[in-house]
């Protein structure tokens, strides 16, 4: 039997290879579609005379941390506008949008009082609250993220305590559902008066090396209860005490401030207008906002300066694409991908003329793949582009949806929200931590990433055939379901009504 199955598998493979060869003859790459001379010039500017690292140095050291809605973020917006103008982009402007609420970090101190006395290393998670002035002390109690249903049955036992989020046994839900449920837990914990919650991003533990990792605990989610990220080393010690039946006692003093109402933010926009179809637009971008434990050089200074570096290389090459390349530095990514959701809303009438978006936001490493945001119809064509850049770097191409950055609103609009995925093993340390500084970035890797962004952008915008048009909401919803994105989007209330209506129609007709 196995041999027969192997034989059928071989037949299927031969057929698939044949189909691939046919597709290849249809999908033209830079060697056949006339874009190569321009790409050669852009690659030369990008690789031999990159300005991306200079931009990142300025953004890191002269602007620094830039939390959305803060004065520093406004300074970053002004810096981005000035940079785009200096590069020579057209139509440079800021597009304002509103964040539901602003937040400012104050102090976060923790001291273990028993079984031994020593300071613990913590930082507040973003958009979480404060202890009483001067702080308060309490016993640490383990709360199992994998059984929040059980833990939440008796919340009053946590009054005056310090819940420590742990993961024991097997998860009873998907991680996305657990993350959403953690929000319910934090609300309930605030109501019963816990002192503070120890739990990092998604309720998880830090990566080690004595680093804390801040971040938001949902999409546009704020919590009255203070929640802290603790270093893995300190948290591990507390966990060991609890496992031995000891009850650590800890004093916390955490002070943060919220604004009373919404705060203003803005995306930064500049263009290279298309020479033939200026109304057709490819968005190229990264997010300008960062967290505030360091300079935000990797998250997402990298994406911001790749965007600017790509724009600069194309402008200096003197080449003009057929269609418009719109460079966008988004803000509010860290609070719930807010800037790019605002962009898609503000440009609703123009979306039919969009070709997609090209985004880089996975740290400091070299690009390893282009993920085409659900658009399987574009994979074969994009592989021709990947083949043409293979001597700069070997990159893979797939149709995966990246739901953790500014690609998502575009994929939800039926457009290819293209994620330039990177090989960034050290990102687990620099992500949202005090180590997210310029030291983590290698200038040669950055120059290559920016150049690959410039080449991909120019190729998409300039090829004679239009790269992509938006899919219908029906087709888009089906794609998101097939890629298992619906559970996350529903858990966080992001699943659009048009998609639910389609699902109801499907149920009714079946
Ligand atoms: Zn990011």
């Amino acid at each position: 039997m196995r041999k027969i199955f192997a034989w059928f598998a071989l037949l299927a493979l031969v057929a698939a290879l044949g189909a691939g060869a046919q597709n290849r003859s249809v999908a033209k790459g830079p060697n056949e579609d006339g874009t190569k001379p321009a790409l050669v010039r852009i690659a030369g500017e990008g690789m031999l005379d990159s300005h991306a690292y200079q931009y990142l140095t300025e953004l890191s050291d002269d602007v620094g941390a830039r939390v959305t809605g803060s004065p520093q973020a406004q300074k970053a917006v002004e810096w981005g506008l000035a940079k785009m103008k200096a590069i020579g982009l057209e139509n440079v402007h800021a597009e304002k949008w509103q964040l539901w609420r602003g937040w400012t970090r104050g102090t976060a101190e923790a001291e273990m009082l028993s079984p031994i006395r020593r300071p613990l290393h913590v930082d507040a998670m973003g958009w979480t609250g404060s202890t009483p002035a001067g702080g308060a002390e309490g016993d640490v109690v383990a709360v199992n993220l994998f059984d929040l249903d059980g833990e939440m049955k008796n919340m009053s036992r946590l009054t005056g305590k310090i819940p420590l989020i742990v993961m024991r046994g097997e998860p009873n839900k998907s991680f996305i559902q657990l993350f959403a449920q953690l929000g319910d837990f934090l609300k309930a914990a605030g109501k019963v008066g816990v002192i503070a919650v120890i739990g990092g991003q998604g309720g998880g533990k830090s990566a080690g090396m004595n680093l804390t990792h801040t971040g938001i605990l949902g999409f546009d989610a704020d919590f009255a209860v203070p929640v802290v990220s603790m270093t893995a080393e300190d948290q591990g010690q507390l966990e060991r005490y609890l496992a031995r039946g000891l009850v650590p006692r800890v004093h916390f003093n955490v002070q943060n401030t919220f604004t009373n109402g919404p705060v203003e933010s803005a995306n930064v926009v500049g263009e290279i207008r298309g020479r033939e179809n200026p109304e057709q637009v490819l968005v190229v971008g990264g997010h300008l906002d960062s967290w505030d434990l360091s300079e935000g050089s990797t998250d997402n200074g990298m994406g911001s300066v790749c965007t600017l570096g790509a724009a600069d290389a194309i402008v200096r090459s003197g080449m003009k694409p057929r269609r418009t390349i719109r460079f966008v530095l988004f803000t509010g990514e860290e609070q719930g991908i807010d800037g790019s959701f605002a962009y898609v809303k503000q440009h609703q009438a123009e979306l039919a003329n969009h070709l997609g978006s090209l985004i880089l936001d996975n740290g400091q490493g070299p690009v390893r793949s282009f993920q085409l945001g659900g658009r399987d119809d574009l994979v074969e064509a994009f592989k021709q582009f990947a083949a043409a850049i293979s001597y700069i770097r070997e990159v893979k191409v797939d149709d995966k949806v990246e739901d953790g950055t500014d690609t998502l609103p575009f994929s939800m609009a039926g457009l290819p929200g293209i994620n330039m995925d990177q090989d960034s093993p050290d990102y687990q340390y620099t992500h949202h931590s005090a180590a997210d500084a310029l030291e983590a970035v290698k200038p040669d890797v950055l120059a290559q990433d920016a150049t690959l962004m410039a080449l991909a952008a120019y190729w998409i915008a300039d090829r004679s055939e239009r790269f992509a048009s938006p899919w219908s909401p029906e087709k888009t919803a089906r794609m998101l379901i097939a890629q298992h994105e619906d559970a996350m989007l529903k858990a966080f209330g992001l699943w659009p009504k048009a998609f639910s209506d389609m699902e109801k129609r499907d149920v009714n007709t079946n």
Side-chain angles (χ1 to χ4, degrees):
M1 283 295 277
R2 285 191 72 178
K3 260 194 177 163
I4 289 172
F5 282 123
W7 172 242
F8 278 127
L10 185 64
L11 277 181
L13 182 66
V14 169
L17 287 173
Q22 275 168 13
N23 282 343
R24 262 196 289 284
S25 64
V26 176
K28 288 180 185 160
N31 284 320
E32 303 89 34
D33 66 10
T35 58
K36 185 177 163 185
L39 297 186
V40 167
R41 291 178 70 156
I42 293 164
E45 293 295 339
M47 297 294 281
L48 290 177
D49 194 15
S50 176
H51 294 171
Y53 192 75
Q54 179 197 320
Y55 299 152
L56 188 60
T57 307
E58 286 178 28
L59 181 62
S60 301
D61 293 346
D62 298 346
V63 179
R66 43 202 182 274
V67 175
T68 306
S70 68
Q72 295 87 341
Q74 181 54 35
K75 191 177 172 190
V77 166
E78 280 153 25
W79 176 85
L81 290 168
K83 220 75 249 181
M84 284 188 177
K85 284 179 189 157
I87 287 167
L89 294 184
E90 302 155 79
N91 192 19
V92 175
H93 64 282
E95 296 184 356
K96 289 181 182 171
W97 61 273
Q98 277 200 334
L99 190 74
W100 86 105
R101 212 175 176 191
W103 178 85
T104 308
R105 181 185 304 282
T107 53
E109 294 158 353
E111 186 182 19
M112 180 157 55
L113 306 172
S114 70
I116 62 167
R117 192 168 187 131
R118 73 173 188 91
L120 299 170
H121 301 91
V122 295
D123 281 298
M125 298 301 289
W127 273 254
T128 68
S130 308
T131 59
E137 64 177 77
D139 294 343
V140 176
V141 180
V143 167
N144 190 4
L145 182 70
F146 291 167
D147 182 28
L148 284 181
D149 294 320
E151 300 281 11
M152 284 168 71
K153 277 183 189 141
N154 177 15
M155 287 301 291
S156 60
R157 81 189 190 286
L158 296 176
T159 301
K161 299 284 196 306
I162 299 162
L164 166 66
I165 307 293
V166 297
M167 298 184 206
R168 285 182 189 155
E170 292 295 316
N172 62 352
K173 295 188 168 80
S174 74
F175 271 91
I176 285 302
Q177 287 167 318
L178 290 172
F179 184 30
Q181 198 181 13
L182 179 64
D184 299 336
F185 172 79
L186 295 175
K187 277 195 196 112
K191 282 193 190 122
V192 300
V194 306
I195 289 171
V197 178
I198 305 168
Q201 300 185 84
K205 198 169 168 180
S206 297
M209 310 292 268
N210 216 34
L211 290 163
T212 60
H213 302 262
T214 190
I216 199 93
L217 290 156
F219 285 77
D220 292 3
D222 59 67
F223 299 99
V225 64
V227 184
V228 299
S229 165
M230 184 175 277
T231 63
E233 292 79 0
D234 290 354
Q235 190 168 328
Q237 187 179 21
L238 294 180
E239 287 173 6
R240 289 191 298 276
Y241 288 140
L242 289 170
R244 283 162 55 192
L246 299 172
V247 180
R249 196 161 174 84
V250 179
H251 181 269
F252 271 96
N253 183 14
V254 182
Q255 304 298 329
N256 300 306
T257 46
F258 288 102
T259 60
N260 286 324
V263 287
E264 204 160 76
S265 189
N267 297 323
V268 182
V269 182
E271 297 177 332
I272 296 175
R273 299 287 289 171
R275 65 174 198 272
E276 281 181 18
N277 294 97
E279 78 289 354
Q280 292 179 18
V281 175
L282 171 72
V283 168
V284 175
H287 70 87
L288 186 59
D289 66 303
S290 78
W291 283 107
D292 54 346
L293 298 180
S294 188
E295 307 178 317
S297 305
T298 70
D299 188 13
N300 185 226
M302 279 291 292
S304 298
V305 306
C306 278
T307 302
L308 294 172
D312 177 61
I314 296 171
V315 168
R316 280 190 291 114
S317 77
M319 306 310 296
K320 273 269 188 185
R322 273 194 175 81
R323 303 172 192 81
T324 295
I325 304 176
R326 182 176 292 164
F327 299 91
V328 186
L329 303 177
F330 296 105
T331 50
E333 194 274 347
E334 295 294 358
Q335 289 69 39
I337 320 184
D338 294 299
S340 47
F341 272 119
Y343 175 93
V344 165
K345 210 170 167 189
Q346 288 165 356
H347 292 268
Q348 191 68 42
E350 204 194 353
L351 281 189
N353 269 328
H354 274 58
L355 309 174
S357 70
L358 183 64
I359 307 288
L360 183 139
D361 183 20
N362 192 25
Q364 58 270 55
V367 173
R368 66 177 165 198
S369 70
F370 286 86
Q371 302 173 321
L372 303 189
R375 292 293 300 259
D376 56 357
D377 58 321
L378 306 172
V379 170
E380 211 46 52
F382 209 93
K383 280 184 178 169
Q384 308 311 305
F385 168 75
I389 58 166
S390 64
Y391 288 113
I392 302 178
R393 184 149 208 102
E394 195 188 329
V395 293
K396 303 253 185 295
V397 182
D398 61 53
D399 73 332
K400 192 177 167 290
V401 173
E402 172 53 61
D403 60 18
T405 187
D406 296 306
T407 44
L408 179 65
F410 294 90
S411 286
M412 288 174 69
L415 286 160
I418 304 173
N419 181 45
M420 296 178 67
D421 191 29
Q422 297 159 265
D423 186 10
S424 303
D426 292 341
Y427 197 37
Q428 62 173 322
Y429 300 112
T430 66
H431 191 247
H432 298 184
S433 80
D436 190 357
L438 194 63
E439 274 66 21
V441 178
K442 294 191 171 73
D444 58 334
V445 174
L446 170 55
Q448 188 187 72
D449 286 355
T451 301
L452 293 182
M453 188 181 241
L455 294 174
Y458 196 90
W459 178 71
I460 291 170
D462 192 53
R463 64 205 291 273
S464 54
E465 210 180 311
R466 178 174 170 158
F467 181 65
S469 295
W471 276 356
S472 68
E474 275 84 358
K475 198 168 180 182
T476 304
R478 282 183 223 289
M479 175 278 289
L480 290 167
I481 292 166
Q483 291 227 11
H484 309 292
E485 292 294 333
D486 51 328
M488 186 281 275
L489 294 170
K490 285 171 185 167
F492 288 102
L494 298 172
W495 190 245
K497 193 176 172 297
F499 294 0
S500 319
D501 291 348
M502 183 220 67
E503 286 185 294
K504 276 182 210 142
R505 279 200 301 278
D506 273 10
V507 171
N508 291 338
T509 50
N510 280 344

